[in-house]
Amino acid sequence: MKIIGIGKNYVNDKSEITAIKTGAQTIFTKPESSLVTGNNDIDFPKITNQLAYEVELVVKIGKRGKDISLEDANSFISEIAIGIDYTAKDVLAASREHKGPWALAKGFDGASPVSDFKPVSNFLDLGAINFNLKINGEQKQIGTTSLMIYSFAEIIAYVSSFMTLEEGDLIFTGTPASGTGLVLKGDHLQASIEDELLLDFKMI
């Protein structure tokens, strides 16, 4: 299975979307070995001193598709979860210095914790899903899919024009425009969709 991420996909106000939306989405991939499930605690990675968190909704692809139309794209979503897209900021900065890729900064072990999934049928409006992240009990990020630059359907259609999407593939769909920051060893992260706590783990 593939883990696909999209960068810079949220605004703070809907009025910003038109100016930003060019059609060129920022897409990256992460290895399956970065995935953590079951609310297992995560060992703080030794490769970084600057571990940044980004809370994101994660869609699971339910059937194989290539060159998926915008109109059909949402039918390819089987389930939705919440996850954290971790970035080793110092590793990323070193790579960018030499115009290198994001792979090591985004793809290390433990870089993709994901909650249990909920059937997509549980969500009446994919364009109005609310989610949030707390760290050590303090609210850090609040998001709603109404502030996405590119919707789930637009992401799926775009990605599938480059690569075949397979059943079980996961897509991290972007983080809210504000509230990202660094996480420390010992921090307790809790992420919810529509106030239902789904992701709950510690950095150890």
Side-chain angles (χ1 to χ4, degrees):
M1 54 89 77
K2 299 183 289 295
I3 301 174
I4 298 161
I6 179 168
K8 301 177 182 177
N9 194 36
Y10 276 77
V11 292
N12 286 314
D13 190 280
K14 288 182 182 180
S15 63
E16 303 169 37
I17 293 177
T18 302
I20 297 172
K21 195 168 186 174
T22 63
Q25 300 179 35
T26 301
I27 303 294
F28 57 91
T29 59
K30 306 177 78 162
E32 186 176 356
S33 55
S34 72
L35 190 64
V36 180
T37 59
N39 280 328
N40 288 315
D41 293 338
I42 298 174
D43 291 324
F44 195 96
K46 297 176 182 177
I47 52 96
T48 182
N49 293 312
Q50 293 181 311
L51 185 62
Y53 61 82
E54 298 177 21
V55 69
E56 309 195 11
L57 293 179
V58 181
V59 299
K60 182 185 286 186
I61 299 299
K63 57 185 177 180
R64 190 173 188 271
K66 169 68 176 170
D67 290 322
I68 299 166
S69 71
L70 189 60
E71 293 74 23
D72 292 339
N74 281 339
S75 72
F76 283 77
I77 302 172
S78 61
E79 299 171 275
I80 297 176
I82 193 162
I84 306 292
D85 173 24
Y86 276 132
T87 306
K89 299 291 281 187
D90 43 2
V91 175
L92 182 61
S95 181
R96 280 177 167 167
E97 220 176 300
H98 304 286
K99 298 183 178 179
W102 294 11
L104 297 182
K106 290 273 195 185
F108 53 88
D109 290 354
S112 309
V114 174
S115 73
D116 289 343
F117 281 82
K118 296 287 184 179
V120 68
S121 58
N122 285 17
F123 302 93
L124 299 179
D125 184 356
L126 298 184
I129 301 174
N130 301 301
F131 60 104
N132 70 83
L133 171 67
K134 293 180 180 179
I135 300 180
N136 302 324
E138 181 182 348
Q139 192 81 68
K140 292 293 186 179
Q141 288 189 278
I142 298 174
T144 173
T145 53
S146 65
L147 293 176
M148 295 176 84
I149 300 169
Y150 299 100
S151 67
F152 294 158
E154 289 170 316
I155 294 168
I156 290 168
Y158 182 79
V159 171
S160 73
S161 70
F162 291 90
M163 64 183 82
T164 299
L165 291 173
E166 305 280 0
E167 183 178 354
D169 285 351
L170 304 182
I171 303 178
F172 280 70
T173 57
T175 196
S178 57
T180 60
L182 298 183
V183 68
L184 303 174
K185 190 171 183 177
D187 280 349
H188 182 193
L189 290 86
Q190 296 175 298
S192 303
I193 301 178
E194 299 295 354
D195 294 324
E196 180 182 1
L197 179 62
L198 295 174
L199 189 62
D200 188 356
F201 68 95
K202 290 182 180 179
M203 298 301 301
I204 58 174

